[in-house]
Amino acid sequence: MIGPSGVRSPMAAGDPDAQFDAFYTACFSRVRKALGALTHDTHAAEDATQEAFVRAKRHWPKLMAYDKPEAWVQRVAFQRLRRIQRSRRDQPTDESTVEHPDPGADLADEVAQREELYAAIRTLPRRRAEVIVLCHLRGYSRCEVATMLRITESTVRTHLALAEAQLHRLLGLPDTGHQGETG
């Protein structure tokens, strides 16, 4: 099968159910972690990820031909997370939904820095947070992010530059002057 870009997809041959199972196994935790960077609500991140993969399963015959079906799932998961967050906006936060890592002594600083970064990302406007997560935490190019979020590449660059500058201020880091240049 040929994907949307005209290139044969590596997942195009073989049993579709087995391919979906392998895709799910390979991608679920990456998609879930990206959503986890956007919210403290681990249940919402988990639910949104699961629902995105349920939709992917329904559309698998088409998606398996895509060059990057994971990008489709990531976009759907972001959309679902936004809907969940809107529906829960007026509900009180349940402390049990907040992720509390139990790091070993050697990982404590790394975990603290990651949590500080995630907390800073969560203060960004939604679109900036999504762009920063997709570009820097997931490693997608600006072009891929633009396609996923259905915005222009120049809009991605703008959100990325603004998000990076805001994160530098929030985290007390020096401004490197290279905002928006990755990806």
Side-chain angles (χ1 to χ4, degrees):
M1 293 183 138
I2 306 298
S5 66
V7 177
R8 177 171 286 281
S9 169
M11 292 196 192
D15 176 36
D17 289 333
Q19 288 174 345
F20 182 80
D21 292 345
F23 169 72
Y24 177 88
T25 301
C27 301
F28 185 88
S29 68
R30 291 192 301 258
V31 172
R32 164 57 188 87
K33 285 178 186 176
L35 269 59
L38 298 173
T39 181
H40 273 299
D41 189 342
T42 57
H43 296 298
E46 186 82 17
D47 289 348
T49 304
Q50 288 176 355
E51 289 184 36
F53 275 96
V54 167
R55 286 189 62 195
K57 177 68 172 169
R58 281 196 307 261
H59 298 285
W60 189 243
K62 179 181 174 184
L63 288 178
M64 64 189 264
Y66 284 17
D67 293 329
K68 294 189 177 188
E70 185 176 346
W72 185 93
V73 172
Q74 188 72 69
R75 180 178 54 80
V76 170
F78 274 172
Q79 291 170 344
R80 182 62 190 136
L81 179 63
R82 285 193 298 268
R83 282 193 300 274
I84 291 170
Q85 289 174 323
R86 276 194 302 267
S87 71
R88 293 181 182 174
R89 193 170 284 148
D90 296 328
Q91 297 176 2
T93 303
D94 179 0
E95 184 62 24
S96 68
T97 65
V98 177
E99 209 170 301
H100 295 286
D102 184 29
D106 295 338
L107 297 176
D109 287 340
E110 182 181 325
V111 169
Q113 288 174 350
R114 184 181 65 231
E115 287 304 314
E116 182 180 9
L117 172 63
Y118 287 2
I121 288 171
R122 291 177 190 122
T123 68
L124 298 174
R126 177 186 51 83
R127 186 62 80 188
R128 289 182 195 171
E130 290 171 350
V131 168
I132 214 75
V133 166
L134 290 172
C135 287
H136 289 304
L137 299 182
R138 292 298 317 277
Y140 287 108
S141 72
R142 290 184 305 247
C143 180
E144 291 169 325
V145 172
T147 300
M148 247 190 275
L149 299 179
R150 296 182 176 154
I151 58 178
T152 66
E153 194 171 339
S154 64
T155 301
V156 170
R157 283 192 303 271
T158 299
H159 283 301
L160 191 57
L162 293 169
E164 288 170 343
Q166 192 171 352
L167 286 175
H168 277 93
R169 283 191 305 276
L170 289 169
L171 297 171
L173 301 172
D175 189 355
T176 62
H178 299 317
Q179 283 81 19
E181 297 301 317
T182 61

